[in-house]
Amino acid sequence: MMNAPSPAPARRTELLAAGAATVTVVLWASAFVSIRSAGAAYSPGALALGRLLAGSVALGALCLVRREGLPPREAWRGIALSGLLWFGFYMVVLNRGEQQVDAGTAALVVNTGPILIALLGSRLLGDPMPPRLLAGMAVSFAGAVAVGLSMSGGGGSPVLGVVLCLLAAIGYAAGVVAQKPALGRASALQVTTFGCLVGTVACLPFAGQLVHEVADAPASATLNVVYLGVFPTALAFTTWAYALARTTASRMGATTYAVPALVVAMSWLFLDEVPGLITLAGGALCLAGVAVSRSRPGAAGPARATAAPRPSERA
């Protein structure tokens, strides 16, 4: 009699995906601290281009070492869309929006992104919407609202800044949903590398600004741009793609609700910005919601989305 297949490989895949998602949210949270520093010396477009150039160099070198070829033709549509919408449009628009509104308002508006990912993923990709995911997203969004309101300056936010942050959230959500099908045809490293290259090409009109500003910027600001390119872009977007290839877009979007909580902690540690009780409570809610959204019913087996990946989905 044949034995039932062991759940160990699926469990290992799930743990690796969770670890990759954790690396992503930690590095993306650190990006907010670096952007605050670099943004004082670089304009939004120049900052985005500098970040993408550094990321493209790091990713290109890794591709050469691993001998990754060009992605299959079937993956290029998703790569191009994610590169334009997420690597390019999102970064420039968000940088510009954060110059118009306070950090709390920006975080609050941008955190509509995971909700948009869930809606688009359900509509376009057929992602399931289990009650635990919806409940977790509701709890996390409540926490994001608390963090955003507690960090806001209390005054009215310019309409332009709010609109720009909302457009950034839309670009982020659309880019994630476009990227998901490409990960079924190309590796996470290929999708990330060529998406970053597409975003870099889209931002080339800001090359003149970058050349001018890098000459006058302090070394600390330029180092922050390089850090943004190598770690929150090259590494974190690759670990994101690795995890996204092994779960649903909706579930990965919900995971990013951990970012506001980590930003609060990092601002406390590195910027001496002591959070208030409401901010701490909001951060705790964000983490609790992520835990709920990623939990599973006790008796349920491994989810279909965490099945063993295809050979083309290697990191």
Side-chain angles (χ1 to χ4, degrees):
M1 184 173 66
M2 294 182 62
N3 293 326
S6 171
R11 179 60 178 167
R12 180 176 179 273
T13 298
E14 184 177 1
L15 290 174
L16 288 173
T22 301
V23 171
T24 296
V25 297
V26 170
L27 291 177
W28 282 355
S30 74
F32 283 86
V33 179
S34 291
I35 287 172
R36 175 173 294 186
S37 174
Y42 287 94
S43 59
L47 176 56
L49 177 58
R51 175 179 179 177
L52 289 168
L53 282 171
S56 294
V57 170
L59 288 165
L62 185 56
C63 276
L64 288 176
V65 170
R66 296 204 43 173
R67 298 182 179 180
E68 295 270 351
L70 291 174
R73 182 185 304 175
E74 297 82 2
W76 270 104
R77 180 182 178 186
I79 291 173
L81 285 174
S82 65
L84 289 171
L85 294 172
W86 196 6
F87 287 87
F89 179 80
Y90 167 80
M91 289 189 183
V92 175
V93 173
L94 180 61
N95 290 344
R96 183 71 177 91
E98 287 191 1
Q99 291 186 342
Q100 298 290 314
V101 298
D102 55 76
T105 301
L108 176 59
V109 177
V110 171
N111 269 304
T112 60
I115 297 174
L116 296 174
I117 290 172
L119 294 174
L120 290 173
S122 177
R123 177 71 175 174
L124 300 178
L125 303 177
D127 284 354
M129 298 283 283
R132 285 172 181 262
L133 175 62
L134 295 174
M137 291 183 69
V139 171
S140 288
F141 187 69
V145 170
V147 171
L149 292 178
S150 66
M151 292 173 61
S152 63
S157 298
V159 174
L160 175 60
V162 174
V163 170
L164 288 171
C165 289
L166 181 59
L167 288 174
I170 294 172
Y172 154 52
V176 169
V177 173
Q179 187 186 62
K180 173 64 176 176
L183 289 166
R185 299 171 173 85
S187 71
L189 182 56
Q190 286 175 323
V191 171
T192 305
T193 300
F194 289 93
C196 190
L197 286 171
V198 169
T200 302
V201 172
C203 290
L204 283 179
F206 302 107
Q209 293 180 16
L210 178 61
V211 171
H212 175 75
E213 292 170 10
V214 75
D216 299 325
S220 59
T222 301
L223 287 174
N224 270 300
V225 173
V226 175
Y227 170 82
L228 286 167
V230 174
F231 293 98
T233 302
L235 177 56
F237 273 76
T238 302
T239 52
W240 164 277
Y242 177 90
L244 180 60
R246 291 154 175 81
T247 186
T248 65
S250 303
R251 205 158 173 235
M252 278 300 292
T255 303
T256 63
Y257 272 122
V259 170
L262 294 175
V263 170
V264 170
M266 290 180 180
S267 296
W268 192 356
L269 289 173
F270 300 114
L271 301 177
D272 292 325
E273 296 179 352
V274 180
L277 291 177
I278 295 178
T279 306
L280 290 173
L285 278 176
C286 288
L287 293 176
V290 171
V292 171
S293 67
R294 295 193 67 87
S295 65
R296 300 183 185 280
R304 174 175 56 102
T306 57
R310 302 176 186 177
S312 63
E313 291 175 344
R314 64 192 184 283

